[in-house]
Amino acid sequence: ERSYGMTLYLLLFAVVGYLIMRKPKRELNENAKFNMGLIIACGLVGIALLAGIWLLVLGFMRQEGGLIFGGAFFLMGGIAFVLGGLSVKGCFDNCKIDVVGLYFGIVFVIIGIGFFVIAYQNPANVPRAVLIIPLLMAAAGILQVVKCIKNRI
């Protein structure tokens, strides 16, 4: 049985490394459309997204909640960087709702519920007092979602 996960990561790092070492001529021009920092950032966000997808697939194949939760965490982190970049570029200026705030509210709800799912699979390993933290995270996420949607009405 071969695993191609490490090969995929090495390929992505090789592509990003090649783009760094190549030093294109247009980078010398200050009016370049893409600078090297943007290319590196896109490569790293792509790696985080692929790592999240890989962990999700592996978690579903092995039916392990921790891997599924970790994959969702990487995937949501990569999407947060994409939304942040789009927000800085002004793509959400015409939206009536706060897209980034709504996303982070949904992420907090998912993280809070995900911790409860993991705790449900191994109830003996989780102290009851620790369960207040994901409960508060889910509550804060729900409040954030309501606040972002309320601005639309």
Side-chain angles (χ1 to χ4, degrees):
E1 176 179 330
R2 273 189 87 122
S3 174
Y4 294 102
M6 188 55 98
T7 306
L8 181 65
Y9 291 137
L10 288 175
L11 180 66
L12 285 170
F13 277 115
V15 169
V16 171
Y18 171 73
L19 291 172
I20 292 171
M21 299 302 287
R22 190 175 65 145
K23 300 269 185 191
K25 292 180 183 177
R26 69 171 181 233
E27 188 176 330
L28 300 175
N29 183 4
E30 292 182 7
N31 297 327
K33 190 172 183 180
F34 295 108
N35 60 5
M36 194 53 72
L38 181 64
I39 293 172
I40 294 170
C42 289
L44 294 176
V45 168
I47 290 171
L49 290 172
L50 286 174
I53 292 170
W54 184 258
L55 282 175
L56 277 173
V57 168
L58 191 63
F60 279 118
M61 285 173 40
R62 294 184 182 178
Q63 296 179 350
E64 292 183 20
L67 287 176
I68 294 170
F69 186 64
F73 191 75
F74 269 102
L75 199 60
M76 289 184 291
I79 292 171
F81 280 110
V82 170
L83 285 177
L86 290 174
S87 178
V88 167
K89 285 295 216 178
C91 293
F92 302 125
D93 289 344
N94 294 332
C95 291
K96 293 182 180 179
I97 60 173
D98 180 16
V99 175
V100 178
L102 180 68
Y103 177 74
F104 280 114
I106 292 170
V107 167
F108 269 38
V109 170
I110 290 173
I111 289 173
I113 293 172
F115 191 83
F116 276 116
V117 168
I118 292 172
Y120 180 74
Q121 289 178 348
N122 278 331
N125 296 340
V126 179
R128 298 290 179 225
V130 176
L131 293 178
I132 191 73
I133 296 170
L135 181 66
L136 291 175
M137 283 184 73
I142 291 171
L143 288 175
Q144 179 70 18
V145 167
V146 168
K147 183 183 89 168
C148 291
I149 292 176
K150 189 175 87 171
N151 290 339
R152 181 180 177 166
I153 298 174

Coordinates of all heavy atoms in Angstrom, one line a residue, residues 5-47:
G5 N 0.5 11.0 -0.1 CA 0.3 12.3 0.6 C 1.6 13.1 0.6 O 1.6 14.3 0.3
M6 N 2.7 12.4 1.0 CA 4.0 13.2 1.1 C 4.5 13.6 -0.3 O 5.0 14.7 -0.4 CB 5.0 12.3 1.8 CG 6.3 13.0 2.1 SD 5.9 14.5 3.1 CE 6.3 13.9 4.7
T7 N 4.2 12.8 -1.3 CA 4.6 13.2 -2.6 C 3.9 14.4 -3.1 O 4.5 15.3 -3.7 CB 4.3 12.0 -3.6 OG1 5.0 10.9 -3.1 CG2 4.8 12.4 -5.0
L8 N 2.6 14.5 -2.7 CA 1.8 15.7 -3.1 C 2.4 16.9 -2.4 O 2.5 18.0 -3.0 CB 0.3 15.5 -2.7 CG -0.6 16.6 -3.0 CD1 -0.7 16.8 -4.5 CD2 -2.0 16.3 -2.4
Y9 N 2.7 16.8 -1.1 CA 3.3 18.0 -0.4 C 4.6 18.4 -0.9 O 4.9 19.6 -1.1 CB 3.4 17.7 1.1 CG 2.1 17.5 1.9 CD1 1.9 16.5 2.8 CD2 1.1 18.4 1.6 CE1 0.7 16.4 3.4 CE2 -0.1 18.3 2.3 CZ -0.3 17.3 3.2 OH -1.4 17.2 3.9
L10 N 5.5 17.4 -1.3 CA 6.8 17.7 -1.8 C 6.6 18.4 -3.2 O 7.4 19.3 -3.5 CB 7.6 16.5 -2.0 CG 8.1 15.9 -0.6 CD1 8.9 14.6 -0.9 CD2 9.1 16.9 0.0
L11 N 5.6 18.0 -4.0 CA 5.4 18.6 -5.3 C 5.0 20.1 -5.1 O 5.5 20.9 -5.8 CB 4.3 17.8 -6.0 CG 4.0 18.3 -7.4 CD1 5.2 18.2 -8.4 CD2 2.8 17.6 -8.0
L12 N 4.1 20.3 -4.1 CA 3.6 21.7 -3.9 C 4.8 22.6 -3.4 O 4.9 23.7 -3.9 CB 2.5 21.7 -2.9 CG 1.1 21.2 -3.4 CD1 0.1 21.0 -2.3 CD2 0.6 22.2 -4.4
F13 N 5.6 22.0 -2.5 CA 6.7 22.8 -2.0 C 7.7 23.0 -3.1 O 8.4 24.1 -3.2 CB 7.4 22.1 -0.8 CG 6.7 22.5 0.5 CD1 6.1 21.5 1.2 CD2 6.7 23.7 1.0 CE1 5.5 21.7 2.4 CE2 6.1 24.0 2.2 CZ 5.5 23.0 2.9
A14 N 7.9 22.1 -4.0 CA 8.8 22.2 -5.1 C 8.3 23.3 -6.1 O 9.1 24.2 -6.6 CB 9.0 20.9 -5.9
V15 N 7.0 23.4 -6.3 CA 6.5 24.4 -7.2 C 6.7 25.8 -6.6 O 7.1 26.7 -7.2 CB 5.0 24.1 -7.5 CG1 4.4 25.3 -8.2 CG2 4.9 22.9 -8.4
V16 N 6.3 25.9 -5.3 CA 6.5 27.2 -4.6 C 8.0 27.6 -4.6 O 8.4 28.7 -4.8 CB 5.9 27.1 -3.2 CG1 6.2 28.4 -2.4 CG2 4.4 27.0 -3.3
G17 N 8.9 26.6 -4.3 CA 10.3 26.9 -4.3 C 10.8 27.3 -5.6 O 11.7 28.2 -5.7
Y18 N 10.3 26.7 -6.7 CA 10.7 27.1 -8.0 C 10.3 28.6 -8.3 O 11.1 29.3 -8.9 CB 10.1 26.2 -9.1 CG 10.3 26.6 -10.5 CD1 11.6 26.5 -11.1 CD2 9.3 27.2 -11.2 CE1 11.8 27.0 -12.4 CE2 9.4 27.6 -12.5 CZ 10.7 27.5 -13.1 OH 10.9 28.0 -14.4
L19 N 9.1 28.9 -7.9 CA 8.6 30.3 -8.1 C 9.4 31.3 -7.3 O 9.6 32.4 -7.8 CB 7.1 30.4 -7.8 CG 6.2 29.6 -8.7 CD1 4.8 29.6 -8.2 CD2 6.2 30.2 -10.1
I20 N 9.9 30.9 -6.2 CA 10.7 31.8 -5.4 C 12.1 32.0 -6.0 O 12.6 33.1 -6.1 CB 10.9 31.3 -3.9 CG1 9.5 31.3 -3.2 CG2 11.9 32.1 -3.1 CD1 9.5 30.6 -1.9
M21 N 12.7 30.9 -6.4 CA 14.1 30.9 -6.9 C 14.2 31.5 -8.3 O 15.2 31.9 -8.8 CB 14.7 29.5 -6.9 CG 14.8 28.9 -5.5 SD 15.7 29.9 -4.4 CE 17.4 29.6 -5.0
R22 N 13.1 31.5 -9.1 CA 13.1 31.9 -10.5 C 13.3 33.3 -10.7 O 14.0 33.8 -11.6 CB 11.8 31.5 -11.1 CG 11.8 31.6 -12.6 CD 10.5 31.1 -13.2 NE 9.4 31.9 -12.7 CZ 8.4 32.2 -13.4 NH1 8.2 31.7 -14.6 NH2 7.4 32.9 -12.9
K23 N 12.9 34.2 -9.8 CA 13.0 35.6 -9.8 C 12.6 36.2 -11.2 O 13.4 36.5 -12.0 CB 14.4 36.1 -9.5 CG 14.9 35.7 -8.2 CD 14.6 36.8 -7.2 CE 15.3 36.4 -5.9 NZ 14.9 37.1 -4.8
P24 N 11.3 36.2 -11.5 CA 10.8 36.6 -12.8 C 11.2 38.1 -13.1 O 11.4 38.9 -12.2 CB 9.3 36.4 -12.8 CG 9.0 36.4 -11.3 CD 10.2 35.9 -10.6
K25 N 11.4 38.4 -14.4 CA 11.8 39.8 -14.7 C 10.7 40.8 -14.4 O 11.0 41.9 -14.1 CB 12.1 39.8 -16.2 CG 13.3 39.1 -16.6 CD 13.5 39.2 -18.1 CE 14.7 38.3 -18.5 NZ 14.9 38.3 -20.0
R26 N 9.5 40.4 -14.4 CA 8.4 41.4 -14.1 C 8.4 41.8 -12.6 O 7.8 42.8 -12.3 CB 7.0 40.8 -14.5 CG 6.6 39.7 -13.6 CD 5.1 39.3 -14.0 NE 4.7 38.3 -13.1 CZ 4.2 37.2 -13.5 NH1 4.0 36.9 -14.8 NH2 3.8 36.2 -12.7
E27 N 9.1 41.0 -11.8 CA 9.1 41.4 -10.4 C 10.0 42.7 -10.2 O 9.8 43.4 -9.3 CB 9.7 40.3 -9.5 CG 9.6 40.6 -8.0 CD 10.1 39.4 -7.2 OE1 9.9 38.3 -7.7 OE2 10.6 39.6 -6.1
L28 N 10.9 42.9 -11.1 CA 11.7 44.1 -11.0 C 10.9 45.3 -11.4 O 11.2 46.4 -10.9 CB 12.9 44.0 -12.0 CG 13.8 42.8 -11.8 CD1 14.9 42.7 -12.9 CD2 14.5 42.9 -10.4
N29 N 9.8 45.2 -12.1 CA 8.9 46.2 -12.3 C 8.0 46.5 -11.2 O 7.3 45.5 -10.7 CB 8.1 45.9 -13.6 CG 7.2 47.0 -14.0 OD1 7.2 48.1 -13.4 ND2 6.4 46.8 -15.1
E30 N 7.9 47.7 -10.7 CA 7.0 47.9 -9.5 C 5.6 47.8 -9.8 O 4.7 47.7 -8.9 CB 7.3 49.3 -8.9 CG 8.7 49.4 -8.3 CD 9.0 50.7 -7.7 OE1 8.0 51.5 -7.6 OE2 10.1 51.0 -7.3
N31 N 5.2 47.9 -11.1 CA 3.8 47.8 -11.5 C 3.4 46.4 -11.9 O 2.4 46.2 -12.6 CB 3.5 48.7 -12.7 CG 3.8 50.2 -12.3 OD1 3.5 50.6 -11.2 ND2 4.3 50.9 -13.3
A32 N 4.1 45.4 -11.4 CA 3.8 44.0 -11.7 C 2.5 43.6 -11.2 O 2.0 44.1 -10.1 CB 4.9 43.1 -11.1
K33 N 1.8 42.8 -11.9 CA 0.4 42.4 -11.5 C 0.4 41.5 -10.3 O -0.4 41.7 -9.4 CB -0.2 41.7 -12.7 CG -1.7 41.4 -12.5 CD -2.3 40.9 -13.7 CE -3.8 40.7 -13.5 NZ -4.5 40.2 -14.7
F34 N 1.4 40.6 -10.2 CA 1.5 39.7 -9.0 C 2.9 39.8 -8.5 O 3.9 39.6 -9.3 CB 1.2 38.2 -9.4 CG -0.2 38.0 -9.8 CD1 -0.5 37.8 -11.2 CD2 -1.2 38.0 -8.9 CE1 -1.8 37.5 -11.6 CE2 -2.5 37.8 -9.3 CZ -2.8 37.6 -10.7
N35 N 3.1 40.0 -7.2 CA 4.4 40.0 -6.7 C 4.7 38.6 -6.1 O 3.8 37.8 -6.0 CB 4.6 41.1 -5.7 CG 3.7 41.0 -4.5 OD1 2.9 40.1 -4.4 ND2 3.7 42.0 -3.6
M36 N 5.9 38.4 -5.7 CA 6.3 37.0 -5.2 C 5.6 36.7 -3.9 O 5.3 35.5 -3.6 CB 7.8 36.9 -5.1 CG 8.3 35.6 -4.9 SD 7.8 34.4 -6.2 CE 8.7 35.0 -7.6
G37 N 5.4 37.7 -3.1 CA 4.7 37.4 -1.8 C 3.3 36.9 -2.0 O 2.9 36.0 -1.2
L38 N 2.6 37.4 -3.0 CA 1.2 36.9 -3.3 C 1.3 35.4 -3.8 O 0.5 34.6 -3.4 CB 0.6 37.8 -4.3 CG -0.9 37.4 -4.7 CD1 -1.8 37.5 -3.5 CD2 -1.3 38.3 -5.8
I39 N 2.3 35.1 -4.6 CA 2.4 33.8 -5.1 C 2.7 32.8 -4.0 O 2.1 31.7 -3.9 CB 3.5 33.7 -6.2 CG1 3.0 34.5 -7.4 CG2 3.8 32.3 -6.6 CD1 4.1 34.7 -8.5
I40 N 3.6 33.2 -3.1 CA 3.9 32.4 -1.9 C 2.7 32.2 -1.0 O 2.4 31.1 -0.6 CB 5.1 33.0 -1.1 CG1 6.4 32.9 -2.0 CG2 5.4 32.2 0.2 CD1 7.5 33.7 -1.4
A41 N 2.0 33.3 -0.7 CA 0.8 33.2 0.1 C -0.2 32.2 -0.5 O -0.8 31.4 0.2 CB 0.2 34.5 0.4
C42 N -0.4 32.4 -1.8 CA -1.4 31.5 -2.5 C -1.0 30.0 -2.4 O -1.8 29.1 -2.2 CB -1.6 31.9 -3.9 SG -2.5 33.4 -4.1
G43 N 0.3 29.8 -2.5 CA 0.8 28.4 -2.4 C 0.6 27.8 -1.0 O 0.2 26.7 -0.9
L44 N 0.9 28.6 0.0 CA 0.8 28.1 1.4 C -0.7 27.9 1.7 O -1.0 26.9 2.4 CB 1.4 29.1 2.3 CG 2.9 29.2 2.2 CD1 3.5 30.3 3.2 CD2 3.6 27.9 2.5
V45 N -1.6 28.8 1.3 CA -3.0 28.6 1.5 C -3.5 27.3 0.7 O -4.3 26.6 1.3 CB -3.8 29.8 1.1 CG1 -5.3 29.5 1.1 CG2 -3.5 31.0 2.1
G46 N -3.0 27.1 -0.5 CA -3.3 25.9 -1.2 C -2.9 24.7 -0.5 O -3.6 23.7 -0.4
I47 N -1.7 24.7 0.1 CA -1.2 23.6 0.9 C -2.1 23.3 2.1 O -2.4 22.2 2.4 CB 0.3 23.8 1.3 CG1 1.2 23.7 0.1 CG2 0.7 22.8 2.3 CD1 2.6 24.1 0.3

